[in-house]
Every structure is written in structure tokens, then in C-alpha cells.
Amino acid sequence: MTSAPANPGSPTPNRRVGEVLVAEGAITHEQLQKALESQRGDTRMLGELLVAQGLISQQVLVRAMATCLGVPGCVLRHGLIDPGVIRLIGVEECERLKSIPMFKVGRTLTVAMAEPQSLPAIDRIGQLTGCDVRPVFATAANVLEFVKKYGSGDVDVDEFLTKLQDTAVEVVERETVDEGPATDLDKMIAGSPIVNLVNIALLTAVKDKSSDIHIEPDKRGTRIRYRIDGVLRDLMKPPPGMHAAIVSRVKVIGKMDIAEKRLPQEGRVRIVAEGREIDLRVSSMPTLLGEKLVVRVLDKANLKVRLEDLGFRAQALDTFKRFLNQSHGMALVTGPTGSGKTTTLYSALDLLRGPEVNILTVEDPVEYQLDTVNQIQVNEPIGLSFARALRSILRQDPDIIMVGEIRDNETARVAVQAALTGHLVLATLHTNDAPGAVARLVDMNIETYLLSSAFNGAVAQRLARTICAGCATKYFPSEQVLADAGLHNHSGRAFRKGGGCQRCHDSGFAGRMGVYEVFEVTPELRRMIHHGRPTHELRAKMRELGGLSLREEGVLLALDGKTSLEEVLRVTQNDDEEQAPAPKPAPAKEAA
């Protein structure tokens, strides 16, 4: 099936559909007269009668009707309709108005209508949705068929993909934002079911704020999952035999070599979806069953650049800002992969940037572009490593330098030297906690006397899922959970958690926030670093000076009702040799 847009150059809304069909050569004048005579004893419309008699196809009828009405027309099919937008109107109203919303781009809602010339129906849809309505003609039978299919909320992806024809596709690929919205009805008329499937996966990932799409080979076909709030969820399971074609399509989008299946590859492309630019990073890996792809979705709309928006508690944020505002030295952000370290560094740069400072970064890869910041992409194949870029940066008169990751001894040494020579250096490091950053740098052969002079502080972080506001409820954690959280004296206290709803995919969580452990190097800690004291002594001194561990910071968030205790225990660990005492929060309100 194909969409059938009207000819916008010559809309003729006063002409009858029979006249248009004759003028286009779809039927003869004699066939029209016979059909009109047959219609006298029939309740069907003329166009429906001609389709039933086999004189014209559904597509021809839609094109003719669209010409008469002066609006675009289409034959509805899977892939043209976003199943999530039908709830904006509701099934009952869709049936009454003989209309179905197709997709939403920005504030514009495209709606397939049996009567697109009906101003009361358009006004009613605009009132219900708060959107600007773009009417598109579709036959009443076609509209009601899809209202019934999508109204149940259960669309069988396998079934509709196997029924798609080669011409039934939707393409959402753009290189520049100037080319217009990605989901443009007039562009959805060429391709293949594979292209359609890939675009459904991409659009769903963007709408659900997914960070990664996993396309994995399976003994029975292909499995597509996407990561939302740090947890993988099944998206769809295409029919068997499609994996190689899906992989090839994604590799074409990412400008990768589709003939090379034995070696890992990386690609990158920019698309426009939901009316905004989205960067995709594609990684392929050969496995026993075939190639596995992971697509990283970099959506600027999800980037929070204000430190206050990341989840820092007030005391921890003040401490972090204090060592960020030093004129020189090194500030580190630590944590595992995917814990939001780069986002925290970007937020720090947003705080520090201005016309009076020169900021340079060296990253692999550059995830988001920041105004007034000079960003450098590492390119190992041509010899542009972190260390080499850093050495060159020092000749660019920098005030602030950001290193995407300190991976090796050479990069660590150049970064420390930069911090000692009057530059503020921000960097990420892979350690479990903030005090552990000292031992990690010592392992990289950084002398303790240099490190004690250069090091300003470190932040360790994790991402905890926040409770869904739509299904938040009270609950009472078990005694074991309270004990693990160090809350022995909180037995019987009500906490908050999410009960699970459609909005949060029945997980009880919607969105994530940071849990931060801040380690500020005071004069006493500086002396301990100089003398090579071990990590557990540095951690003990940090707590003696009032610092809290990751788990204690997370427990305070749970006491404030922002996340659940179980989620805090999942993302943090107790690194102390003995059970940490419970944090001393301000009196918390009873959870609602």
C-alpha cells in the first residue's frame, strides 16, 4: 500500500469524484454513467462502489478524493501511525469523528479523517489535544479499521511486518536540520519493510528517552531491546530471517562497510526525529550467531547542563563548586561506564564558561557540542591520542582543560603537569569511589608529592531511577533492606515507591538523578596524599570531616521520597569494612 498525496498545485474542491476519475483516465465516461445508475439502489458512496466493482483501486480512490477536497490523502498502514498518539483523542472520539491521529511533530498533529473538510471535527480534535491539526484524507472504512487495531493498545509487530509490501515504508533519515521534519507524510512512500522496522525502532527510542538500542542475533531470529533509565527492555522481536537485512540497513545509515562482517566497526550519523536533531553512534560486533549492533542515542533534549538539575544535594553541590572555582588544579569525576560522568563535566563547563576564559576539551567521542567551548575529537588511527592532544592544547593558551577520560600513564602525567602549571583540569576516571581516585593515579605512576599539590578533589557518582509521579505510593521496606541502608531505627516508617503504570512501562520509575559522593582535598588530606596513605584512611578522614559516602547520599534521597531504598542499594555499595552509621538527615516528612 502507498500513501497518495493530493496534488497541491491544483486543488479542485468543487469537482465531483466521478469527474476527477474520468479526467485522470481512471475510468471512462460510460463506466461512470453505469456506476451512477447502479448507485440508485445502493447505499454505498460512488467511490466505494467503483472499488467494489474492481474498476479502480483503493489508492486511486484516495488520490481522487484528496484532489476533490484539496488535502493530502493516504491509505493507512502500519508504520504510518504512532500507536501512542491515539490516546490523545481516545477511541470513542476517534470512532465518532471517523478520525485517527497518525503522528505528532512538535505542536502539529497529523490526523487521518474521513471528513477532513469538517471544521467542527478539526476544532474538536484541536481542543482535545492542544495541537495544531493537519488533516489528511482516508476512507472511513480504513480509519475505523485502524482505530479498532490500535485502540486495544496491543499491536502485533510480527504480524504487520510480515504483511508489509516492499513499497510500504517510512524513512526518517536526515543529515541537516534544514531538510525539515523527519516524519513527513510526503516522504513516506518509498523503501522496504526493513527500513520501516528500523525507523520504528529509532523513533520509539527517541520518544521513550532511550539511551541505547541493542539489535542482537538470536537462534530464533532477532531481538531488539532498548535501555531506558539504565535498564534494558524488550522493544520488538522481528520475524526470523530478517537479522542480516536489519544489520545492513543500520550499517548503511551509520556509513559503515556492510561487506565487512568479521571485524568490529563504528559509525555515526545525524537524524531528525520529533522535530529535533539526534546524533546516533553505531557500534557493530561479530558474535557466534551473527553481528550485534548497539546504537547510542544522543538527544540534546535529554542533556541537563545546570549542576542544580543533576541531583546534587545542597551541601554536596556547594563543596563541588568550591573546588571547581579554584584557579588551577585537578578536579575528577569518577564512576563506572554509563553513570553520567561526561554530563557532570559538561555541567561544570557550563558553570565556568564565559567570554573571559579559554576552554578546550579533548574527548572520545564528542557527545554534545557546547557553545564557546573548543572541543577536540580523539583520532587514534592518525595518532591524535589524549596525551598528544593535551600537549598541543597547552600551547593554545588555555584557562580550563577538560579531558574526556584519563586512560593511561602518559595522559595522567600530562594532565597533572597542566594542573601544576596554572590550569584548571577537569577529567573523568574509572574508580568505585571518590577517594579511590588517588590510588588509581598513583597506580599510573604519578608521584604522591606531585599529586598532593595538583589534586583539588573528586566526585564519585551513580545514577538512580526516580519514582514515577503517576503511580507513586507508600510502602514499608523489610528489616533487611533497612539494615543494609543503615536505618535500623526507622522500622515502621513509610517510604515511597512506584506501583507501576503504562507511563513508566510498569517499572515504577521515570527518569534518573545522580547520587554524588564529594571528596574535597583539605590541607590535612593533602598531607595524607603526600605521605601515600591508603584509600580506606582517606575515606575515614573524609567522613570525619563531614563527607558522606555514595550509599549515605542515596539513602538521604530515599528519605526525601525521590527514589526507593531498594534502588539506592542496587546502584551503590558499602565500601567500609564495618557497617556505616545511618546518615543524620533533617526530619523528613512522612511519605505521601
Side-chain angles (χ1 to χ4, degrees):
M1 292 183 287
T2 59
S3 62
N7 180 359
S10 57
T12 51
N14 294 324
R15 295 174 66 188
R16 295 178 178 272
V17 66
E19 297 173 358
V20 173
L21 289 170
V22 171
E24 291 182 349
I27 59 174
T28 65
H29 184 73
E30 290 75 17
Q31 288 173 324
L32 173 60
Q33 293 303 318
K34 289 182 180 179
L36 289 172
E37 292 176 6
S38 301
Q39 191 187 15
R40 292 172 184 169
D42 201 313
T43 58
R44 288 176 291 183
M45 301 291 288
L46 175 63
E48 295 174 347
L49 186 63
L50 290 169
V51 172
Q53 292 176 350
L55 294 175
I56 60 172
S57 66
Q58 186 83 354
Q59 288 89 340
V60 171
L61 172 61
V62 168
R63 184 168 61 245
M65 287 295 300
T67 301
C68 290
L69 297 170
V71 299
C74 72
V75 176
L76 296 175
R77 55 174 172 76
H78 296 290
L80 275 180
I81 299 172
D82 178 356
V85 297
I86 192 171
R87 63 176 177 267
L88 295 176
I89 299 178
V91 175
E92 291 184 3
E93 283 292 287
C94 285
E95 291 177 342
R96 187 179 72 82
L97 299 172
K98 294 181 181 177
S99 305
I100 183 170
M102 298 173 66
F103 48 80
K104 181 182 175 186
V105 179
R107 285 183 45 82
T108 301
L109 181 68
T110 299
V111 183
M113 308 177 67
E115 299 177 356
Q117 75 279 19
S118 173
L119 293 180
I122 292 174
D123 290 342
R124 175 59 176 163
I125 293 171
Q127 183 183 33
L128 289 171
T129 63
C131 297
D132 299 327
V133 178
R134 182 194 182 195
V136 173
F137 172 75
T139 64
N142 197 200
V143 168
L144 295 176
E145 173 192 358
F146 277 81
V147 169
K148 183 179 179 181
K149 286 181 179 179
Y150 284 88
S152 64
D154 183 18
V155 181
D156 189 337
V157 174
D158 293 357
E159 180 182 353
F160 84 67
L161 281 175
T162 56
K163 292 181 179 179
L164 286 174
Q165 303 297 320
D166 287 343
T167 55
V169 293
E170 171 188 4
V171 174
V172 194
E173 200 180 332
R174 293 289 185 273
E175 287 296 332
T176 64
V177 74
D178 298 332
E179 294 184 50
T183 48
D184 185 347
L185 179 69
D186 300 331
K187 303 296 183 183
M188 297 179 182
I189 58 174
S192 73
I194 299 300
V195 177
N196 202 30
L197 170 62
V198 169
N199 285 292
I200 289 171
L202 293 177
L203 284 173
T204 303
V206 171
K207 290 174 182 176
D208 289 344
K209 298 182 179 179
S210 169
S211 62
D212 300 89
I213 307 169
H214 289 242
I215 303 172
E216 303 167 326
D218 188 271
K219 289 182 178 179
R220 293 175 295 277
T222 305
R223 180 170 61 172
I224 300 179
R225 298 185 291 170
Y226 59 142
R227 190 178 294 277
I228 298 178
D229 296 336
V231 178
L232 282 171
R233 304 185 187 281
D234 283 327
L235 170 62
M236 61 179 70
K237 195 172 180 65
M242 292 182 121
H243 185 74
I246 294 170
V247 168
S248 294
R249 172 58 185 166
V250 176
K251 290 172 76 172
V252 166
I253 291 174
K255 298 177 176 60
M256 300 156 70
D257 184 359
I258 63 173
E260 180 56 72
K261 305 178 186 297
R262 302 165 299 171
L263 297 174
Q265 294 187 64
E266 293 183 0
R268 185 165 187 165
V269 69
R270 178 171 298 169
I271 65 170
V272 172
E274 294 282 281
R276 60 183 184 271
E277 286 185 297
I278 310 291
D279 283 328
L280 304 178
R281 292 209 322 263
V282 185
S283 171
S284 72
M285 178 68 67
T287 71
L288 187 63
L289 297 176
E291 285 186 276
K292 170 182 166 63
L293 298 178
V294 175
V295 181
R296 171 63 59 88
V297 182
L298 301 173
D299 186 353
K300 292 180 182 178
N302 298 332
L303 176 64
K304 297 178 180 178
V305 293
R306 294 181 67 251
L307 283 171
E308 291 79 5
D309 296 335
L310 298 182
F312 278 97
R313 291 191 314 106
Q315 180 181 350
L317 181 59
D318 289 342
T319 305
F320 186 35
K321 285 183 176 180
R322 192 159 52 241
F323 63 75
L324 278 180
N325 287 318
Q326 300 293 323
S327 61
H328 64 277
M330 176 184 287
L332 298 176
V333 179
T334 74
T337 300
S339 59
K341 301 186 297 297
T342 302
T343 299
T344 300
L345 283 184
Y346 282 161
S347 300
L349 291 180
D350 183 64
L351 175 70
L352 298 171
R353 65 180 173 171
E356 68 280 1
V357 293
N358 179 26
I359 301 177
L360 290 99
T361 76
V362 52
E363 306 171 59
D364 185 23
V366 175
E367 295 191 3
Y368 300 101
Q369 296 180 16
L370 301 177
D371 294 336
T372 72
V373 176
N374 303 286
Q375 296 172 271
I376 300 166
Q377 169 75 54
V378 167
N379 193 342
E380 295 283 358
I382 65 171
L384 185 60
S385 62
F386 275 109
R388 183 170 180 179
L390 264 178
R391 284 194 294 268
S392 298
I393 280 176
L394 292 175
R395 293 189 284 272
Q396 290 285 314
D397 186 32
D399 296 298
I400 300 171
I401 301 170
M402 188 193 98
V403 184
E405 182 182 346
I406 295 179
R407 297 177 177 174
D408 52 53
N409 300 3
E410 188 179 8
T411 305
R413 186 163 296 279
V414 177
V416 169
Q417 290 295 339
L420 289 170
T421 53
H423 306 92
L424 180 63
V425 178
L426 312 180
T428 71
L429 196 65
H430 285 285
T431 64
N432 288 329
D433 62 0
V438 174
R440 182 76 181 94
L441 289 172
V442 171
D443 287 342
M444 291 182 174
N445 298 322
I446 303 299
E447 293 82 357
T448 55
Y449 71 90
L450 294 176
L451 186 58
S452 63
S453 300
F455 194 34
N456 289 344
V459 171
Q461 70 179 79
R462 301 291 188 274
L463 292 178
R465 293 176 293 173
T466 51
I467 295 169
C468 174
C471 58
T473 185
K474 290 194 294 186
Y475 84 113
F476 297 91
S478 67
E479 293 295 331
Q480 183 60 52
V481 169
L482 291 172
D484 290 342
L487 298 176
H488 304 278
N489 58 342
H490 284 66
S491 180
R493 184 193 190 281
F495 286 77
R496 291 180 80 229
K497 74 170 184 178
C501 63
Q502 185 177 4
R503 172 181 170 185
C504 63
H505 302 277
D506 293 319
S507 67
F509 297 99
R512 289 189 290 179
M513 68 185 305
V515 182
Y516 297 93
E517 172 187 276
V518 183
F519 175 71
E520 183 182 20
V521 179
T522 62
E524 191 170 355
L525 280 167
R526 203 174 294 279
R527 285 192 294 272
M528 293 177 68
I529 294 171
H530 180 83
H531 290 100
R533 307 311 301 172
T535 299
H536 69 273
E537 291 187 18
L538 297 176
R539 187 186 304 117
K541 176 57 68 174
M542 177 191 78
R543 296 182 55 158
E544 183 183 318
L545 295 172
L548 299 180
S549 69
L550 274 168
R551 175 157 294 184
E552 290 171 333
E553 290 280 357
V555 167
L556 291 179
L557 295 177
L559 288 168
D560 288 341
K562 296 176 180 177
T563 188
S564 68
L565 277 180
E566 288 82 358
E567 177 68 5
V568 170
L569 298 180
R570 183 183 72 86
V571 301
T572 66
Q573 61 182 13
N574 188 3
D575 291 322
D576 292 337
E577 294 178 351
E578 57 184 11
Q579 177 65 45
K584 300 178 177 59
K589 297 180 180 179
E590 193 71 6

